């Protein structure tokens, strides 16, 4: 039994060492991807639920290895947040989004691109100036960019966050709360936050047609948003019935595989023809 215990311990140590080696490997691979501009942006359309018309898109980062496989963002984004690599990766993403947006705007004036922010960026000095400079250098009207932030950003230092959101809004940008309903949220801070949009998390949309409790939550969010003059996007719509019901409930916008999966810029441009 003692020997077996030692074997388990060895096995456990080996696992830790391997995991550690793998994560060091992943980090340096990701650094290479940043340095060699091997990251990509995919775009998922956001549609008006009443008409089905594409009004904008969300930019989602993709990391493809030499063998063609993709590492999921749910793996590399949290890693990049611990290492700080999210800062250069996000700056690259904003530049790329602005570059692509100028093509989208030629096709569809008023088109709006949403980009995801991480808490790390939000808390850096000069972040505001950096965003504005990037937009200006690509001649992008500030109304055409939306910043998506999660509730975790507000928890770190809400006074700082509120001030920064106000500055972005005054400069003309939209600000959306992502994954709404999943954090510690919600209702009290919304009053203080000058946000333009809420994105209801997929968790509440999945069963909106079958589960009375989820429908009630969605109704509640929509009623509150209407009072506060905030637009709402339903995320993760996978079926026609969900899109129909959400439109009936008065939700303005939708996003999800039912409409389109995230896709390369050229495919999105084709959709706009
Ligand atoms: P998110 O911001 O909530 O993005 C939505 C995620 O839901 C995307 O996953 C999208 O592909 C997926 N999705 C969209 N419609 C459906 C649907 O109908 N069904 C299902 N099951 N999923 C759907 P993705 O692209 O894997 O990204 C995962 C997360 O990684 C994002 O969640 C976001 O938190 C983060 N992320 C992605 N790109 C960036 C980025 O450029 N910067 C930062 N900071 N985070 C990013
Ligand atoms: Ca998002
Ligand atoms: Ca989301
Ligand atoms: Ca998410």
């Amino acid at each position: 039994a003692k020997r077996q215990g030692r074997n388990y311990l060895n096995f456990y140590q080996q696992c830790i060492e391997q995991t550690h080696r793998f994560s060091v490997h992943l980090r340096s691979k990701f650094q290479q991807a940043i340095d060699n501009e091997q990251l990509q942006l995919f775009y998922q359309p956001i549609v008006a639920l009443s008409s089905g018309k594409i009004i904008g898109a969300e930019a989602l980062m993709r990391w493809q290895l030499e063998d063609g496989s993709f590492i999921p963002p749910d793996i590399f984004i949290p890693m990049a947040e611990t290492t700080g690599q999210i800062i250069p990766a996000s700056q690259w993403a904003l530049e790329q989004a602005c570059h692509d947006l100028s093509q989208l705007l030629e096709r569809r004036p008023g088109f709006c691109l949403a980009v995801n922010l991480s808490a790390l960026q939000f808390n850096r000095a000069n972040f505001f100036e950096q965003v504005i400079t990037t937009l200006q250098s690509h001649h992008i009207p500030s109304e055409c960019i939306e910043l998506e932030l999660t509730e975790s950003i507000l928890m770190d230092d809400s006074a700082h966050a509120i001030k920064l959101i106000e500055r972005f809004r005054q400069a003309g940008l939209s600000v959306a709360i992502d994954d709404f309903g999943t954090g510690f949220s919600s209702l009290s801070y919304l009053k203080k936050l000058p946000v333009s949009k809420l994105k209801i998390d997929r968790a509440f949309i999945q069963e909106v047609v079958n589960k009375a409790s989820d429908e009630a939550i969605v109704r509640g969010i929509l009623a509150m948003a209407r009072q506060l003059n905030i637009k709402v996007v339903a995320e993760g719509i996978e079926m026609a019935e969900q899109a129909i019901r959400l439109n009936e409930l008065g939700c303005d916008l939708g996003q999800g595989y039912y409409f389109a999966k995230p896709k390369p810029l050229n495919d999105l441009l084709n959709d706009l023809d």
Side-chain angles (χ1 to χ4, degrees):
K2 208 172 187 182
R3 171 154 356 125
Q4 212 175 28
R6 204 178 308 134
N7 282 342
Y8 279 131
L9 196 66
N10 270 335
F11 176 68
Y12 179 68
Q13 268 169 351
Q14 276 171 17
C15 283
I16 298 220
E17 278 162 25
Q18 272 176 19
T19 307
H20 179 71
R21 235 174 297 143
F22 178 69
S23 81
V24 171
H25 177 68
L26 208 62
R27 269 175 212 198
S28 75
K29 283 293 240 184
F30 190 65
Q31 193 57 46
Q32 282 172 26
I34 297 172
D35 297 340
N36 304 334
E37 306 221 0
Q38 284 166 340
L39 298 172
Q40 293 169 260
L41 283 185
F42 273 25
Y43 295 101
Q44 186 175 34
I46 298 173
V47 306
L49 286 174
S50 56
S51 64
K53 197 174 165 233
I54 300 176
I55 58 103
E58 176 178 1
L60 294 157
M61 212 184 282
R62 293 292 178 262
W63 176 21
Q64 193 171 19
L65 301 180
E66 290 85 355
D67 67 3
S69 61
F70 285 93
I71 309 274
D74 288 330
I75 303 284
F76 73 80
I77 297 283
M79 174 203 71
E81 277 169 346
T82 15
T83 62
Q85 290 167 312
I86 192 71
I87 301 282
S90 303
Q91 183 52 31
W92 168 81
L94 183 63
E95 295 273 357
Q96 188 65 45
C98 287
H99 177 269
D100 294 349
L101 183 53
S102 37
Q103 289 186 54
L104 290 159
L105 283 168
E106 275 176 29
R107 207 67 71 96
R108 187 73 67 84
F111 196 88
C112 182
L113 265 192
V115 296
N116 290 284
L117 297 186
S118 94
L120 221 51
Q121 292 173 280
F122 219 69
N123 293 325
R124 261 166 74 98
N126 297 325
F127 176 59
F128 174 81
E129 289 76 10
Q130 202 180 14
V131 171
I132 300 297
T133 309
T134 308
L135 262 59
Q136 283 172 348
S137 73
H138 292 270
H139 308 290
I140 297 296
S142 51
E143 293 73 27
C144 299
I145 288 281
E146 182 160 82
L147 307 175
E148 291 193 4
L149 37 106
T150 55
E151 289 159 298
S152 64
I153 289 183
L154 303 163
M155 278 173 44
D156 294 346
D157 178 358
S158 62
H160 166 74
I162 291 170
K163 242 186 248 154
L164 201 48
I165 293 172
E166 268 164 4
R167 290 181 77 191
F168 279 119
R169 294 282 283 131
Q170 271 161 16
L173 286 89
S174 312
V175 176
I177 307 239
D178 203 357
D179 304 343
F180 187 76
T182 59
F184 288 92
S185 44
S186 30
L187 310 183
S188 60
Y189 73 61
L190 267 187
K191 221 171 48 177
K192 291 187 265 174
L193 283 181
V195 298
S196 16
K197 205 177 266 177
L198 296 181
K199 300 190 77 173
I200 307 181
D201 195 78
R202 186 167 72 89
F204 303 104
I205 304 305
Q206 259 171 328
E207 307 272 11
V208 72
V209 183
N210 318 315
K211 248 170 110 180
S213 56
D214 283 356
E215 189 194 295
I217 291 171
V218 171
R219 275 181 191 277
I221 296 173
L222 289 169
M224 175 188 66
R226 209 171 297 128
Q227 290 289 318
L228 297 170
N229 209 7
I230 297 173
K231 287 213 167 125
V232 177
V233 185
E235 288 196 282
I237 298 180
E238 293 181 351
M239 291 171 292
E241 302 79 64
Q242 295 166 328
I244 293 165
R245 176 65 60 84
L246 287 157
N247 182 45
E248 285 166 359
L249 294 176
C251 183
D252 311 304
L253 304 166
Q255 181 180 350
Y257 295 166
Y258 169 65
F259 299 108
K261 291 199 167 172
K263 51 176 92 179
L265 174 69
N266 282 332
D267 294 1
L268 179 63
L269 285 167
N270 285 335
D271 289 348
L272 298 181
D273 281 337

